[in-house]
Amino acid sequence: MIESAGFDHAQEAFDFVELLDKLSSPDEIMNQMEKSLGRFGFENFILTGLPNPHQKAEQMVLARKWPQGWFEIYIKENYVAVDPVVRLCRNSVNPFDWGEAPFNRDTEPRALEVMNRASDFRMANGFCIPIHGLTGYEACVSLGGVNLDLSPRTKPALHLMGMYAFEHIRQLMTQKNESRFDRLTAREREVLTWTAVGKTSAEVAEIMNLSKRTVDEYSVRAARKLRAQNKTHAVVKALQQRLISP
Amino acid sequence: MTQIHVVTSANRHLYEDTLDSYHRIRHDVFVTERGWRAVARADGRDIDSYDRGDTVYLIAIDGDRVVGGQRLTPTTASHMLGDIFPDLAAVKGVPTGPSVWEASRYFVVRERRSGRTDCMMLAAVQEFGLDEGITHYSAVIETWWLPRLQEAGFVVRPLGLPTLIENQWALAAEVEVRESSRDRARALGGITGSVLVRRGPQIPLIPQVEHAT
């Protein structure tokens, strides 16, 4: 978008940051990013952790609106290992234009390749905001497009918007994961309730009309969710946390 | 074991040597390491007009070694955001009031920057705020620290856009004092319970606040 006289990038950034508090899902945040960042000309963006050598790049992604074809090529070619933007992101605390990420055209043909191929997917230029956690977590917010309003005036606004978007999505996804892993299902609670009154798993199986193997699976899953050492420990923890009644 | 000591005008006589070493290390960190020439001093101690009688220091001490620190000043008196950096708070203004304190000169010595000492320092500033009835801290923070503070559970409200200061992006911000922030910082650092040490006489920071002790 061509900058109009009335476009106040600082106000845009603050409106965005304040709006984030009212959004309750990563999708809503992505939609808002599309609108707000669109006013700066950005079409695509990704919020992702940076993989260590033992992690897969695609599993680190928190959220993306990224050309699907490009994402697939990027993963298939393992470009994360040679991408100059990723390399600079790990080594910089300041945000930067993709074009500023240095590489040697003669000795790093794969780096040149990744930069050239990105342009084929309407990602001629972009802005990368590195995230460095307190205990070694590395991530980035990367924004791409063709006709960008990316100037010394607008960059501080984009910097702030990117960091707040990342934090809100990270928070929402952490909450989602915790509840998915930690909340007991009705069946798991029922198994623990019968176990708490002294029934063996064979007896519980009969009461609940399930196989003993299924009952054992419920116990194991409940124990894992409660971070308990065994079935008995799981019962104690469930009672303490009032997930089942004595 | 590292602990965070609360040093105020009431107990500073117990910390004379520590404070001298604290100011020397501050000079090492901010002038020698980070190149803040404007605060360089011939005696190798970083001391400025905000190191006053009403200034409170939270100093991380391991054995007898200073390994980190942060400085707190009331916003009802002269403070940096109001005096030097009001432009950084151009959008939202400079927050002031008896329950708003300014945090500045946050540092952890180089060999302790793996994370745990930072978590202790962050848990400490929240715990101290809760103890003393501080509701908010204002601060000029390096922008790359924003996600780090958020990771530690801090609720940070920007007061203006990031600005380049001494070659580093920084922004003015207001941080809420919250139990959840204290607990998250503790959890991230694997810390159980209080990290604050209070030796000698204690004075309430905000006179209007009633104290349990």
Side-chain angles (χ1 to χ4, degrees):
Chain A
M1 175 180 158
I2 305 302
E3 193 179 314
S4 67
F7 184 63
D8 182 345
H9 56 281
Q11 197 54 51
E12 186 69 40
F14 274 75
D15 287 348
F16 177 76
V17 167
E18 282 161 26
L19 203 59
L20 283 173
D21 280 329
K22 301 188 184 85
L23 305 179
S24 53
S25 75
D27 283 348
E28 285 177 343
I29 294 176
M30 294 296 281
N31 288 339
Q32 190 55 48
M33 285 179 82
E34 199 174 336
K35 271 186 229 158
S36 301
L37 293 169
R39 289 180 199 125
F40 295 82
F42 290 96
E43 298 166 44
N44 301 301
F45 37 91
I46 190 164
L47 302 88
T48 181
L50 302 182
N52 68 34
H54 310 291
Q55 291 168 324
K56 287 193 173 5
E58 63 269 34
Q59 287 169 353
M60 307 300 290
V61 177
L62 298 182
R64 67 186 154 97
K65 178 187 177 290
W66 211 238
Q68 185 57 27
W70 174 234
F71 187 73
E72 278 160 15
I73 291 171
Y74 195 94
I75 297 301
K76 187 169 145 276
E77 296 286 339
N78 193 27
Y79 278 144
V80 71
V82 295
D83 188 343
V85 171
V86 172
R87 182 166 61 195
L88 182 56
C89 183
R90 290 189 200 271
N91 293 310
S92 172
V93 296
N94 289 330
F96 56 90
D97 296 13
W98 291 352
E100 290 174 70
F103 65 96
N104 187 319
R105 287 173 171 265
D106 301 323
T107 59
E108 298 181 283
R110 295 256 297 155
L112 180 61
E113 185 182 314
V114 66
M115 296 308 278
N116 283 342
R117 289 186 81 172
S119 313
D120 297 342
F121 291 88
R122 290 190 67 77
M123 305 235 279
N125 196 9
F127 191 53
C128 176
I129 301 153
I131 309 275
H132 297 271
L134 275 167
T135 54
Y137 178 66
E138 290 179 320
C140 78
V141 178
S142 206
L143 319 170
V146 175
N147 188 13
L148 304 181
D149 181 5
L150 187 56
S151 71
R153 278 184 61 244
T154 55
K155 282 179 189 179
L158 292 162
H159 190 177
L160 197 65
M161 291 164 80
M163 283 191 156
Y164 270 88
F166 182 88
E167 167 60 14
H168 279 258
I169 288 190
R170 184 191 66 81
Q171 251 186 38
L172 287 170
M173 301 208 37
T174 316
Q175 280 165 11
K176 199 178 88 192
N177 283 344
E178 279 172 1
S179 58
R180 185 171 73 217
F181 289 123
D182 292 339
R183 206 187 302 136
L184 296 181
T185 64
R187 278 290 166 92
E188 289 157 1
R189 279 205 309 275
E190 198 177 344
V191 168
L192 291 182
T193 306
W194 287 118
T195 310
V197 297
K199 304 286 182 200
T200 65
S201 36
E203 287 163 342
V204 178
E206 209 180 307
I207 295 164
M208 291 178 66
N209 199 16
L210 297 168
S211 72
K212 180 176 174 295
R213 224 187 75 194
T214 308
V215 170
D216 287 337
E217 271 172 24
Y218 283 135
S219 308
V220 167
R221 231 172 338 169
R224 195 171 56 223
K225 286 180 181 178
L226 294 164
R227 292 168 177 69
Q229 302 303 318
N230 53 41
K231 192 164 75 176
T232 314
H233 190 202
V235 169
V236 172
K237 286 192 123 180
L239 285 167
Q240 282 171 344
Q241 295 175 30
R242 295 162 194 258
L243 300 170
I244 59 172
S245 339
Chain B
M1 188 181 76
T2 306
Q3 287 179 308
I4 315 293
H5 292 248
V6 178
V7 181
T8 67
S9 58
N11 71 354
R12 63 178 300 147
H13 57 280
L14 301 173
Y15 287 98
E16 291 303 337
D17 290 346
T18 302
L19 277 170
D20 187 55
S21 136
Y22 161 80
H23 284 293
R24 256 190 306 108
I25 293 170
R26 230 172 78 176
H27 199 276
D28 289 347
V29 170
F30 290 97
V31 179
T32 314
E33 187 185 333
R34 304 175 57 178
W36 291 12
R37 298 311 304 166
V39 299
R41 291 191 5 154
D43 68 357
R45 268 104 177 136
D46 173 21
I47 299 175
D48 68 15
S49 60
Y50 304 101
D51 294 296
R52 307 180 300 233
D54 57 357
T55 304
V56 174
Y57 302 94
L58 301 182
I59 305 181
I61 304 175
D62 184 4
D64 56 3
R65 259 190 81 224
V66 171
V67 295
Q70 51 196 322
R71 174 175 75 171
L72 307 174
T73 40
T75 58
T76 47
S78 152
H79 62 290
M80 290 167 75
L81 194 53
D83 299 346
I84 307 172
F85 299 117
D87 290 352
L88 264 64
V91 180
K92 292 288 170 184
V94 176
T96 57
S99 70
V100 184
W101 280 58
E102 180 174 79
S104 59
R105 292 294 205 280
Y106 177 99
F107 71 90
V108 168
V109 296
R110 194 194 288 270
E111 59 274 23
R112 294 296 184 93
R113 287 180 200 161
S114 61
R116 190 153 189 276
T117 307
D118 282 305
C119 292
M120 286 188 96
M121 295 263 292
L122 297 176
V125 75
Q126 288 285 343
E127 185 183 340
F128 183 74
L130 289 163
D131 284 356
E132 299 291 341
I134 295 170
T135 59
H136 296 85
Y137 291 106
S138 61
V140 175
I141 61 173
E142 290 175 3
T143 308
W144 76 283
W145 263 83
L146 176 59
R148 294 162 80 83
L149 295 174
Q150 289 170 328
E151 186 188 12
F154 279 40
V155 179
V156 186
R157 197 170 72 101
L159 301 170
L161 287 180
T163 305
L164 212 47
I165 300 175
E166 302 269 4
N167 239 353
Q168 185 69 247
W169 287 101
L171 85 162
E174 185 179 67
V175 174
E176 283 184 27
V177 174
R178 284 192 181 198
E179 271 182 37
S180 62
S181 306
R182 178 200 63 192
D183 295 347
R184 177 78 195 115
R186 283 181 183 170
L188 193 62
I191 299 153
T192 45
S194 170
V195 291
L196 288 183
V197 177
R198 293 173 179 266
R199 289 201 328 220
Q202 304 291 314
I203 44 157
L205 215 58
I206 307 171
Q208 299 92 314
V209 172
E210 294 212 0
H211 279 257
T213 48

